[in-house]
Amino acid sequence: MCSRFELRGERDAVAARFGLRETPPWPNAAEIRPTDMVLAVRGGRGKLFRWGLAVDWDKRPLINARAETLDQRPAFRQMASSSRVLVPATAWWEWRAEPDGGRTRMRLARRDGRLFALAGLFGGDRLVIVTCAASPALASVHDRMPVVLSPEAEDMWADASLPFTVAASALAPYDGELAAVPEPAPVPPTPRPAQGELF
């Protein structure tokens, strides 16, 4: 599950990191929430998409897509074949369940603090973030995590000429070092969307 993530830094640094031909447009806030505008990159260009895919069966948009079933779900099958993007980020947040019934807001990021890319899919002007099973290091925080792509996997995922059967090998739990840091929660968390087995 991923319902909050962060993009901090300078536009020029993001352009250099992702090989963009020009300075990209920028989201309105560092902490990005569903329905906010999200920066996505592919083919040397950056573009803003609204986070969340409108669907007929729910008033709330779909914000995540399970890596394990992308090629089985009609909502995602075509996008997985031809509409794959990289979503630059510096962190994301999950809520860790505590033994006393409370929850702790955890900030998750690369231990070295560097930018990374999440796997995304777009349809029109909308975007979803792909999730996978949590890595062993994060399993105590949450059972799901966004797909954090390695540099090698970034090229594969964003290459529209590759069939999904090839690009799908990029959708694995991140095996690099991540830091999970508890943070105070200024506001209560948004309830998890009731989207059944999609999440």
Side-chain angles (χ1 to χ4, degrees):
M1 182 66 181
C2 175
S3 60
R4 298 282 192 281
F5 73 94
E6 172 193 272
L7 176 58
R8 294 187 182 275
E10 300 295 329
R11 297 189 193 196
D12 289 346
V14 173
R17 164 65 175 78
F18 291 96
L20 304 184
R21 293 189 288 268
E22 57 187 30
T23 302
W26 206 247
N28 292 328
E31 182 175 340
I32 300 169
R33 305 172 181 224
T35 74
D36 285 350
M37 301 304 289
V38 173
L39 174 64
V41 301
R42 186 171 76 162
R45 300 184 64 184
K47 181 179 177 180
L48 293 178
F49 293 86
R50 191 165 298 282
W51 186 12
L53 183 68
V55 292
D56 295 335
W57 65 85
D58 201 304
K59 294 180 180 179
R60 291 167 294 187
L62 292 180
I63 60 171
N64 296 146
R66 292 177 68 100
E68 300 88 339
T69 56
L70 286 181
D71 60 347
Q72 302 169 27
R73 300 293 179 183
F76 304 126
R77 189 181 299 124
Q78 183 59 42
M79 289 189 290
S81 295
S82 59
S83 302
R84 304 186 298 263
V85 291
L86 308 178
V87 180
T90 47
W92 78 96
W93 287 273
E94 296 289 3
W95 292 87
R96 183 180 66 193
E98 303 295 350
D100 63 2
R103 295 201 296 171
T104 300
R105 189 177 194 246
M106 303 292 293
R107 182 180 185 272
L108 302 131
R110 282 181 48 151
R111 191 169 294 280
D112 60 14
R114 293 182 179 178
L115 279 163
F116 54 85
L118 304 177
L121 299 170
F122 72 91
D125 62 353
R126 302 272 179 159
L127 177 142
V128 295
I129 290 173
V130 182
T131 66
C132 62
S135 65
L138 297 184
S140 63
V141 176
H142 201 280
D143 62 348
R144 304 287 298 176
M145 66 181 291
V147 173
V148 178
L149 297 165
S150 68
E152 299 78 16
E154 289 176 17
D155 293 337
M156 181 184 302
W157 181 250
D159 187 345
S161 71
L162 294 177
F164 176 70
T165 52
V166 175
S169 63
L171 303 178
Y174 184 67
D175 62 1
E177 291 193 16
L178 296 169
V181 179
E183 288 191 343
V187 293
T190 301
R192 180 179 298 188
Q195 310 256 346
E197 59 181 343
L198 284 173
F199 296 90

